[in-house]
Amino acid sequence: MLDEMQASRRQALKLFSSIPLLPLSGASAASMLMTACGGDSDTTAVTPPGTLSFESASFSSMAAPSISDPYAMGTTSVGSALNVKLSDGTTQNFKLAYKPFFITGDYVPDGKGGYSLSGGYVDINNKPILDTSVAGLERQFFSDCADGTSLINLDKATVSGIKGKAVFAVVQFEYTSNNQAGQSMYGQLPSPIAVLTLDQDQATGKLTLVKYHNVDTSAAHMLWITCGASMSPWNTHLSSEEYEPDAFTASSDAQFKAFSKNVFGDETKANPYHYGHMPEVTVNPDGTGSIKKHYCLGRISHELIQVMPDNRTALMGDDASNSGLFIFVADKEKDLSSGSLYVANVGTGFSIDPAAPGAALTWIKLGSATSAEIEKMADTLKPSDIMTIATKDPADASYTKIFLSGKTQWIKIKPGMEKAAAFLETHRYASFVGASMAFTKMEGTTVNVKDKIAYSALQNIQGSMIAGDAANNPAYNVSLAKKLSAGGVMAHTLTGGQKDLGGAAINSEWVPVLTKALIIGEDITKDILGNTANPDKIANPDNLKFSEKLRTLFIGEDSSQHVNNFVWAYNIDTKVLSRLISMPAGAEATGLVVADDVNGWTYIMSNFQHPGEWISTMDAAAKALVNPIVNSNYKNKFGCAVGYLTAEATSIKLSKV
């Protein structure tokens, strides 16, 4: 009898490998399913599931918070559920909840018996950077803007104190909004990156923070405004440096001078060409991390990069006005230190109507380079060595008119400086060679491997994308009749066998060749709460992640049109859009991670940043009610959360299998 029961259990447990199991706040899904199969006591027979398997998953949507519940508006609010359908028609329902690891500014374990300040800032010598703006309240700066995150599972971890299995999360902090005196600190501090060692309970999937390690970024000249991130197929964290500093104006730019002062103690020492690149963090088995910065992926407004399954092709977000669609094809697998950089040329037919057929994409090669050679150029070249620029028409045929950051310039490349221009002045050079530098804030990217479709978020569809706008160039083939401030998500068909516009083969099977709208938002007249985009549709999408197992695109908002920003789940087969979580009013949803299988558990992670940064249209009465809630939960708006979606064990309802 015992042998029969054990065999039946083994059959039942085979089922778990195919079913998405969210981490639970109570008893394990495995034990509950075993109970549903017939019990797990020594005297109860287990009915084997036979050929039972996972069939599909869907999410039940939650309502947007309203003024009737100001607490839900002022904190993370979750009222959604994951519904897992099995092959016999039965369903498991997981009610979702949000669990933070910490609120920035908390002291968390450093793994050595001491504590670290979460989100804390340090300078080039790894010394704390102090906020001295209010006498008597001096303290180390910490971030209210947690952003890009990766969840990494290593085969062999050596961190002490682990009771289950070690899982690592890499978290980067984009900026801090204000000092204690209320003055803006945006872009004036070097962005920290931390490795979190998490203890994964093997019965429940629950993650508990046991070690916080601040990565030493001094060898990479420190980091500039790190935004979205992704995990590479080879288990590293691919970071970003957004809104690259303009090298032609950096010496007189107050923001960059303050950054230099805080990093080096000297407002003239920072080199703008060291920033605007793609850093990569490698996690070590002991819970520490190391960093290197890749200089050969173009100096653009790096957002969320997506490396394709070939381990070589990278699609990159470019979060700027007059931005472009860029890909990088590495020379070797799992090595981004050398390769070729391309930028898209958009064909006719570009539309944001999801029913439209879309527009063809062709590719201009900007150049091939190694990271080492571009870093050397960054070390030694001044912007005037690379090109001459004019902000007014010089009436000189040797200059070329370009579009940059919503404005026009005229540039002339110095002889022999094409490669330096391509990799250090990438936006200017891409416009110079005729690429479609037409997009507004092309942000997060992700890939649907099975269907060979990549997705890119357009936070806004306005400005340079609209016919008649001063930043619009009709030759780019992106000239829409009307703006859509709420933005949308574009889908790109991927294939191989492509050549660049110079006739040379592109050595990749994952090249975007067609772009069309997948899902868009809707601008509205201001509603009673202050939303200027339909709260039941996406608005200003930013972070994107795709789950192959769930067949679902996850969308995180950075919206100035929703009073509360949301994370959405969009099933690409059923076309159903479900709201999963609401962030505190004024906060941006960041750090989106969807991990289908981490030791058998499915994780949906999300952070948020700058709670209480109200949109200008928010109802004054709602603001007055919500403000004290935000202040009491998030350190008077100086803190933000790093965490993940979990499931309540009591919500699982299993039919007899």
Side-chain angles (χ1 to χ4, degrees), residues 178-250:
N178 302 295
N179 61 21
Q180 293 182 88
Q183 300 160 328
S184 174
M185 292 299 298
Y186 179 79
Q188 298 181 36
L189 298 169
S191 298
I193 290 188
V195 177
L196 315 183
T197 301
L198 307 170
D199 189 352
Q200 185 191 47
D201 187 314
Q202 295 306 287
T204 67
K206 180 182 177 181
L207 299 174
T208 303
L209 178 65
V210 298
K211 179 179 180 178
Y212 180 104
H213 168 77
N214 204 49
V215 177
D216 182 356
T217 63
S218 58
H221 312 287
M222 311 300 279
L223 303 180
W224 169 267
I225 311 179
T226 54
C227 197
S230 66
M231 188 178 77
S232 72
W234 52 93
N235 241 14
T236 60
H237 174 83
L238 302 180
S239 180
S240 58
E241 290 187 309
E242 191 181 34
Y243 307 130
E244 76 282 12
D246 190 337
F248 284 90
T249 60

Side-chain angles (χ1 to χ4, degrees), residues 356-563:
L361 297 173
T362 51
W363 295 89
I364 299 170
K365 183 176 181 179
L366 297 180
S368 299
T370 68
S371 181
E373 67 177 313
I374 302 305
E375 183 178 15
K376 185 176 181 180
M377 291 180 182
D379 292 342
T380 57
L381 294 176
K382 296 180 175 61
S384 58
D385 296 328
I386 300 172
M387 63 178 64
T388 304
I389 67 169
T391 55
K392 295 182 179 179
D393 189 348
D396 182 338
S398 65
Y399 283 77
T400 299
K401 182 180 179 180
I402 66 164
F403 291 79
L404 180 78
S405 299
K407 299 179 180 179
T408 54
Q409 290 185 353
W410 288 258
I411 69 170
K412 181 165 58 175
I413 310 293
K414 297 290 182 70
M417 286 290 147
E418 289 78 12
K419 179 175 283 192
F423 290 93
L424 293 178
E425 290 290 344
T426 308
H427 277 139
R428 288 184 169 98
Y429 189 71
S431 185
F432 174 81
V433 298
S436 293
M437 302 299 288
F439 299 107
T440 49
K441 297 181 73 62
M442 182 79 81
E443 302 224 22
T445 63
T446 191
V447 65
N448 167 355
V449 174
K450 180 181 178 181
D451 298 334
K452 261 194 146 176
I453 295 175
Y455 306 103
S456 294
L458 283 171
Q459 186 185 15
N460 308 108
I461 299 169
Q462 58 190 24
S464 59
M465 299 183 70
I466 309 304
D469 189 273
N472 179 258
N473 181 0
Y476 291 162
N477 288 326
V478 180
S479 294
L480 302 172
K482 183 181 178 181
K483 74 175 183 178
L484 178 62
S485 297
V489 177
M490 304 299 293
H492 315 301
T493 302
L494 306 168
T495 192
Q498 300 303 298
K499 295 182 178 180
D500 65 35
L501 290 181
I506 302 176
N507 188 18
S508 171
E509 296 298 312
W510 298 86
V511 178
V513 294
L514 179 77
T515 186
K516 67 187 303 294
L518 176 74
I519 181 173
I520 60 173
E522 178 188 358
D523 296 340
I524 62 171
T525 302
K526 183 177 72 170
D527 67 14
I528 191 170
L529 200 57
N531 296 303
T532 59
N534 188 335
D536 292 324
K537 296 184 179 181
I538 64 168
N540 313 116
D542 188 337
N543 282 201
L544 298 181
K545 286 291 188 294
F546 186 77
S547 168
E548 296 286 336
K549 178 169 282 189
L550 302 180
R551 295 286 292 168
T552 297
L553 177 67
F554 294 84
I555 304 166
E557 295 182 338
D558 175 11
S559 180
S560 60
Q561 295 181 262
H562 280 170
V563 171

Side-chain angles (χ1 to χ4, degrees), residues 66-67 127 162 167 169 195 269 371 387 413 437 476 514 575 629:
S66 69
I67 193 61
K127 301 296 184 183
I162 299 295
V167 177
V195 177
K269 193 168 183 178
S371 181
M387 63 178 64
I413 310 293
M437 302 299 288
Y476 291 162
L514 179 77
K575 314 302 181 189
I629 297 169

Side-chain angles (χ1 to χ4, degrees), residues 68-113:
S68 64
D69 189 354
Y71 189 82
M73 291 184 63
T75 59
T76 51
S77 175
V78 186
S80 53
L82 171 65
N83 310 306
V84 177
K85 183 179 179 182
L86 305 178
S87 57
D88 68 343
T90 59
T91 302
Q92 294 182 69
N93 304 108
F94 296 79
K95 184 180 178 182
L96 303 182
Y98 185 72
K99 178 177 176 57
F101 299 121
F102 55 79
I103 305 300
T104 53
D106 289 350
Y107 280 90
V108 292
D110 64 4
K112 298 179 288 187

Side-chain angles (χ1 to χ4, degrees), residues 340-360:
S340 298
L341 181 64
Y342 301 85
V343 62
N345 192 25
V346 180
T348 58
F350 182 85
S351 172
I352 58 169
D353 179 357

Side-chain angles (χ1 to χ4, degrees), residues 246-294:
D246 190 337
F248 284 90
T249 60
S251 63
S252 60
D253 184 277
Q255 178 195 53
F256 192 70
K257 290 164 67 175
F259 171 83
S260 182
K261 177 73 172 178
N262 284 314
V263 173
F264 299 103
D266 182 341
E267 65 179 21
T268 67
K269 193 168 183 178
N271 177 352
Y273 281 146
H274 286 155
Y275 309 99
H277 302 286
M278 210 291 296
E280 180 177 16
V281 175
T282 299
V283 176
N284 302 316
D286 65 354
T288 62
S290 61
I291 193 167
K292 56 186 173 183
K293 193 178 287 188
H294 297 294

Side-chain angles (χ1 to χ4, degrees), residues 113-145:
Y115 293 91
S116 295
L117 178 68
S118 57
Y121 287 89
V122 297
D123 63 16
I124 193 70
N125 298 310
N126 289 305
K127 301 296 184 183
I129 301 175
L130 301 182
D131 179 356
T132 59
S133 61
V134 178
L137 297 178
E138 295 82 2
R139 70 183 186 192
Q140 184 179 358
F141 274 110
F142 58 88
S143 178
D144 64 325
C145 292

